[in-house]
Amino acid sequence: MERTKDYIHSGGITTAVDPGVIITPDMYQQMTNILLDESLPMDYWLIPAGNFTYSMAGYDAEKGKQLAEQQTVQFASIEQIQWLPKYIKLFSDGAMYSQLMQLKDGYIDGHHGEWLQTPAELEDSMRPYWHDDYTIMVHANGDLGFEAAIDIVDKLNAEYPRSDHRTGFHHLGITDVDDIPRAVKQGSNFSVNPYYTHILAENYSANGVGAERAEVMARGRSFIDAGGLLSLHSDAPMAPAQPLSLVWAAVNRIGLSGETVMGPQERISVDEAMRAITIDAAYTARLEDQVGSIDIGKQANFTVLEQSPYQVQPKEINQINIQATIYQGKVHPISQSNAGMQMTQTTQTALNALNQHQGEHGHHHDHDHDVCETSLLFQKVISAM
């Protein structure tokens, strides 16, 4: 946890949002003790995992909502660690790294995706939050999972119309471009992990997904051109917790080999990408009046860079040195910019193996393993590589 605090700061982050939090009293106490032991130069916003409380409540949607709300009271906000008011995270289909997203046209090798929440469960669990004016974030990775989530939002909005619901679809590994205008029309926004393109697109072109869909994974241009609001996120450790690396990935769309541009038609401009890690990201968390830009009346939170992303070559954006952050008007120097593990073919293999490990983690989604078990699992996967 101490290393994580330093790692996040090294990326120049002053505001972080963590959707889908599942936490125990001991974990929460440990987290707050470590993060607040010394100066934590950032705001850390939490969002409950509504799928977990829904299952814990025996798939009773109202009771699941009550459990999620109790969580935000039991684990009270402390200083910079806060629960985003009336936010919930729900889930559609499976993960990108394990190729368990639900695809309309299936997989080229014949395997099948999974639902983390079936469409019926997603609709049922979402309804009480929708009718209570919650902002809902939906994990959706495959085009079928994305389509199902859009259908549900349309249905609920017909039941109880809302003009500023700001439903956010998250990750969006494989999407059907024809579904995007529907989501824009209903008032939803899009938070993409652009690093999928760098890490997975070349591999998935040959394995499981096929080139036609893999090359345009983690779209950018299609969302913006349809009139949608796009933000970028890392879902760390699925991608580096380094906003400039996300900008680099979305602007360049370079494959892991470094030799291929994947889906060049989905590249976005530097300005669009910078907005997607600042003011447009703040909008998705309803924080645009507090952070996301430097303006009178907003918090004095920003990042000091050695070079401007607008002036360097686009392929060098991820190499810009981060000198410090300014948080609440105070300077916090950064000794090692953009610290952390580099993504290579070896580390990608480790992540894929971890996500696909049967019987211990991942597919069962039990969430009952502690940190020690997870560490042992990492060791087991790496030793088997």
Side-chain angles (χ1 to χ4, degrees), residues 99 106-112 207-209:
Q99 284 200 3
Y107 289 87
I108 61 175
D109 61 3
H111 84 272
H112 300 284
N207 299 299
V209 176

Side-chain angles (χ1 to χ4, degrees), residues 77-95:
S77 298
I78 304 175
E79 299 180 27
Q80 300 105 286
I81 303 174
Q82 302 279 325
W83 295 95
L84 266 182
K86 297 189 76 169
Y87 266 74
I88 197 69
K89 176 74 175 287
L90 298 172
F91 291 74
S92 182
D93 57 333

